[in-house]
Amino acid sequence: MKKIIVPVDFTLHSENALRTASFFAKKYKAEILVVHMLEINTPVISSSPSYVHEQTVFELKLTEKKFGEYLDKPYLKDVKVTPIIKHYKSFSDLHRTAEEEKADLIILSSHGATGIKEMFFGSNAEVVVRNSTVPVLVIKGLPIDEAFKKAVFACDFSNDFIEPFKKAREILAFFECDEMHLLYVNTPGAKFRTTKDKKERIDTFLKKLGTTSKEVNIAEVADFSIEEGILEFAKTNESDLIIMPTHGKHGIEHFFEGSIAEDVVNHAVLPVLTVKM
């Protein structure tokens, strides 16, 4: 892992993400790309070219000044930090920046169980999670300053989860987290699976990974919804990280219909790592 992107709006919440990034950057000698998304509002865009230029220069100088103060922190000492200012019309543009910079991870902060507000005003963080092809680590509350010990990976053991699982395993190696539980949530209704069906799916999944049930931790819970099952298992299992594969806008019907990954990101009190399918 060489590059970590941290979007900031110069608030305490974004600083928590920056502190978390500095912990991992120091530990693994990664570079932090601190990105401020400078919004281009419609009235300015529709104004005369000279006014647009004047406002752009003003906003850039103001942001550069804020960056100078914001990044002057003791915890960033000995860390390579690159400030980046991007104009945007939609916050989904952040994932394009991550792709352009060939970033390995995006770290952002949220309020936790009440949803993502202030820094990303709800929908913005969800847009990042939904659109990013780069893994996204969403932290809740205080910054992370120690390695993860136990992760739970939500999985339905279909082919769509093979690549996200491999990617998650790579990231956990980077995090030095050596315990991961693959969790299947069995829900009532059309998606309910029998013991025989689940065993066949799990065996096929593990075979394609070139491993066996003796080499991985597999867990199953029954609950009324996938989200509730994941959150309850993470709590009772004393996990400190939830990993959610996310399909973005393309849709994979058999497990993450709608926005389960985004719901977990909003409602979990634990850090959540999302990995694109």
Side-chain angles (χ1 to χ4, degrees), residues 7-24:
V8 301
D9 64 353
F10 307 114
T11 65
L12 176 61
H13 299 292
S14 59
E15 185 170 355
N16 287 339
L18 186 58
R19 281 180 175 270
T20 299
S22 72
F23 167 73
F24 290 119

Side-chain angles (χ1 to χ4, degrees), residues 49-213:
S50 61
Y51 180 74
V52 171
H53 176 73
E54 181 181 324
Q55 287 298 307
T56 300
V57 170
F58 173 77
E59 292 291 344
L60 282 172
K61 288 186 178 297
L62 182 61
T63 301
E64 287 170 357
K65 182 176 183 297
K66 287 182 178 179
F67 257 138
E69 298 169 352
Y70 194 74
L71 299 179
D72 185 21
K73 300 292 195 310
Y75 60 81
L76 292 175
K77 185 180 180 181
D78 300 324
V79 177
K80 183 179 180 181
V81 179
T82 302
I84 298 174
I85 302 172
K86 287 285 185 179
H87 291 85
Y88 79 102
K89 295 180 182 178
S90 167
F91 212 84
S92 62
D93 292 346
L94 180 65
H95 84 275
R96 296 190 182 93
T97 301
E99 291 171 359
E100 290 168 3
E101 296 291 340
K102 294 181 171 57
D104 301 291
L105 181 68
I106 296 173
I107 299 180
L108 56 86
S109 178
S110 89
H111 276 287
T114 57
I116 299 171
K117 300 178 181 177
E118 288 191 18
M119 177 181 176
F120 290 110
F121 298 98
S123 62
N124 283 339
E126 294 172 14
V127 167
V128 174
V129 166
R130 188 182 310 124
N131 290 283
S132 179
T133 57
V134 175
V136 180
L137 176 63
V138 182
I139 67 167
K140 308 300 183 83
L142 297 175
I144 296 167
D145 58 4
E146 62 180 4
F148 296 114
K149 296 180 177 65
K150 188 185 295 186
V152 52
F153 178 89
C155 183
D156 80 341
F157 297 99
S158 67
N159 291 338
D160 297 303
F161 286 74
I162 291 176
E163 291 307 316
F165 173 76
K166 290 179 179 178
K167 186 64 178 178
R169 193 162 52 182
E170 289 177 8
I171 296 173
L172 289 187
F174 168 74
F175 287 156
E176 295 184 353
C177 175
D178 54 12
E179 184 175 347
M180 175 167 59
H181 293 258
L182 277 69
L183 175 67
Y184 181 83
V185 181
N186 209 4
T187 55
K191 292 187 178 181
F192 176 82
R193 296 191 181 279
T194 65
T195 300
K196 179 182 178 182
D197 186 20
K198 284 179 295 182
K199 185 180 184 307
E200 290 175 352
R201 288 171 69 88
I202 292 171
D203 289 345
T204 300
F205 182 85
L206 296 178
K207 185 177 181 180
K208 290 182 178 180
L209 284 174
T211 187
T212 67
S213 58

Side-chain angles (χ1 to χ4, degrees), residues 129 244-247 256 258-266 272 274:
V129 166
M244 296 294 299
T246 177
H247 57 72
F256 286 125
S259 57
I260 299 298
E262 294 162 37
D263 288 342
V264 171
V265 165
N266 276 330
V272 179
T274 63

